[in-house]
Amino acid sequence: MSFLQGYGFVGLLMLVALALAALFILLPCLLTRLRVIPRKPSPIKTDIYECGLETQGKTWVQFNFRYYFYALVFVVFDVETIFLYPWAVAFNKLGLFALIEMLIFIAILVVGFVYAWRKRVLEWK
Amino acid sequence: MILKRLLDWLAGYWPEWAAYVVVGLVGIMVLIAFFLTMIMVVIWLERKLIGRFQVRWGPNRAGPWGILQPIADAIKVLTKEDIVPDRADKWVHLLAPVVAFVPPLLIFAVIPFQPDAILADLNIGILYVVAVGSIAVVGAFMAGWGSSNKYSLISAMRVAAQMVSYEVPLVLSIIGVILVVGSLSMMDIVNRQSLPFFLMQPLGFLVFFLAAAAEVNRSPFDLLEAESEIIAGYHVEYSGMKFALFYLGEYGHALAASALVTALFLGGGKFPWGALPPSFIWFLAKMVLVFCVLFWIRSTLPRLRVDQFTGFAWKFLFPMSLINIFLVGTELWWAKEMGWSLFPWPFLFLNWAIAGMLVLVWPKLFQLGVGRVEV
């Protein structure tokens, strides 16, 4: 199996998977036309379900999500993993130099992580 | 490879692109049939086992031992009225189940069931899995945001928090494996495991397993659909086949995670004493075993609180995964210097000792969520 053929199969699988999902969504539409599936909408049924209480105001309001700092730390370390993958693949050829190099790189990032931890950023507050 | 032989045979009669597409479709049909059947089996197994864990019978009406229960469920769900809330963002609401369903299926393209039973042995296999696997989260987020329900929105925010926290340890724990193998291809990873990697890297295995359990929203990490707090989370406003797509996607993702644990750490289709049955049977057996452990954990542990949930990832799993990388790296370098003479047994015991010590000592360094928290 050549290099690109595998990717072609993955692309084909994605198309088929999308078609399957579309089928799963369109089939009930067809069955509704055939009156197999009931369709009796009412204002109460198509309202938002919040445990039986009427929903108050809009949902899409600004609110304080409390993991903003997690997201910042996440961005740093997720970018770091991009560097770690090629390093890991080539590690056997690179030897000690690469190991120490990466140790320094991670240590710099870990300083930031420790700082965030000490600052109590990792608490959900 | 079976597919390659079929391709060569067909290419003798048809133009090459037609043969290629037909062969691809054949492989894909087998894969999808396998995927859906496995999900049905696993749903039945889970309901039955959870029933036993909770000292009740579980499904036992449809067919012998309730075997036909998933099919009955499928028929029921297919004939349910499709309700879209008036206030929902109709397009996001419609597309969310598709986005949640497709990625788990895509992961299965590179799962190495057997040397000749893998749809595409990509040279970046595991990187592809990581990339595709995190897309499913977007589907859950779209559902939570698009249904315009406040509980769903909270759930969507929790989905994002979970992704942000658990993606990093998940991805970092794989690096220990790649260090040893020196390749990203799933087939190479399985072939290198004459000794399964969970023996060599217990720490990496622990981190990967827990992070994967969190990524697929299994209890005790299922607080994005915590029924007792936020109804059912992001899929409250879904019914009928759209709900079924979420359900399939969730189980598909859990299956993909257990397949990954099998391929990365349990030696894939390899078996220590020869290979009497074909190796994909061993692969499936190990995969179902991992899945059973997942719902064993689910039925044993209570749900975490949201601050404990994120804190666990950052304060425990993340440092552990970094330590694992450098432990494995140093050992590899040292073993190479020594000419691989001592490899692997002393390192194996050393790794287990270090892992055991860290697991016992590290949690003493911090506390997870003390007292009341306003969520």
Side-chain angles (χ1 to χ4, degrees), chain B residues 21 26 47 58 64 77 115 148 171 183 186 260-261 278 288 296 305 310 330-331 357 365:
Chain B
V21 170
V26 168
R47 291 183 64 175
V77 109
S148 177
V171 172
S183 161
M186 295 295 276
L260 281 180
V261 172
V288 171
W296 182 14
R305 207 171 57 194
T310 43
T330 316
E331 282 175 359
M357 220 163 63
L365 297 179

Side-chain angles (χ1 to χ4, degrees), chain B residues 61-362:
Chain B
R61 294 288 148 163
W65 308 292
I67 275 183
L68 300 179
Q69 189 64 44
I71 296 167
D73 283 346
I75 295 170
K76 185 192 85 170
V77 109
L78 186 62
T79 52
K80 284 280 176 188
E81 182 177 353
D82 180 35
I83 302 167
V84 182
D86 285 334
R87 304 184 186 204
D89 188 327
K90 299 281 183 316
W91 279 103
V92 179
H93 188 271
L94 176 72
L95 288 178
V98 178
V99 179
F101 170 73
V102 172
L105 188 49
L106 288 185
I107 291 179
F108 272 88
V110 295
I111 298 293
F113 294 101
Q114 191 170 303
D116 53 359
I118 173 170
L119 184 68
D121 186 16
L122 300 187
N123 52 356
I124 54 155
I126 189 65
L127 190 64
Y128 163 83
V129 167
V130 169
V132 169
S134 50
I135 297 176
V137 170
V138 178
F141 189 85
M142 282 166 74
W145 189 84
S147 31
S148 177
N149 181 320
K150 293 193 188 70
Y151 292 101
S152 297
L153 191 65
I154 292 173
S155 167
M157 286 301 168
R158 287 184 179 185
V159 169
Q162 173 249 55
M163 207 284 272
V164 158
S165 301
Y166 281 85
E167 190 73 9
V168 173
L170 184 85
V171 172
L172 287 183
S173 58
I174 296 172
I175 288 183
V177 171
I178 303 171
L179 277 175
V180 180
V181 178
S183 161
L184 296 171
S185 150
M186 295 295 276
M187 216 56 245
D188 289 349
I189 290 175
V190 170
N191 285 337
R192 270 302 294 272
Q193 298 185 54
S194 46
L195 199 66
F197 283 149
F198 85 100
L199 287 173
M200 273 307 288
Q201 307 178 12
L203 209 54
F205 174 65
L206 182 75
V207 173
F208 185 83
F209 189 81
L210 291 177
E215 283 272 303
V216 300
N217 316 331
R218 309 300 293 176
S219 191
F221 305 109
D222 67 339
L223 71 183
L224 34 150
E225 43 191 87
E227 290 87 350
S228 48
E229 303 163 20
I230 47 175
I231 328 180
Y234 58 88
H235 53 63
V236 192
E237 298 293 355
Y238 283 88
S239 66
M241 275 319 270
K242 286 181 192 162
F243 172 75
L245 277 180
F246 277 114
Y247 204 64
L248 288 176
E250 195 181 316
Y251 276 87
H253 211 156
L255 267 179
S258 29
L260 281 180
V261 172
T262 308
L264 292 179
F265 290 99
L266 301 184
K270 281 184 191 289
F271 193 68
W273 303 288
L276 275 181
S279 67
F280 75 89
I281 298 210
W282 289 121
F283 193 99
L284 288 188
K286 287 176 185 176
M287 188 168 127
V288 171
L289 185 74
V290 173
F291 201 88
C292 287
V293 173
L294 276 179
F295 47 69
W296 182 14
I297 296 174
R298 166 182 164 169
S299 53
T300 306
L301 296 174
R303 188 178 295 133
L304 294 175
R305 207 171 57 194
V306 72
D307 62 317
Q308 297 168 334
F309 174 68
T310 43
F312 179 64
W314 283 110
K315 294 176 179 174
F316 183 76
L317 292 183
F318 174 63
M320 290 300 112
S321 56
L322 281 185
I323 291 171
N324 180 57
I325 289 174
F326 286 105
L327 194 64
V328 173
T330 316
E331 282 175 359
L332 273 182
W333 168 74
W334 201 44
K336 202 169 145 195
E337 290 293 300
M338 306 269 288
W340 306 100
S341 55
L342 286 172
F343 208 72
W345 297 105
F347 295 107
L348 192 149
F349 292 118
L350 181 71
N351 281 351
W352 275 92
I354 291 178
M357 220 163 63
L358 280 173
V359 168
L360 287 178
V361 172
W362 194 271

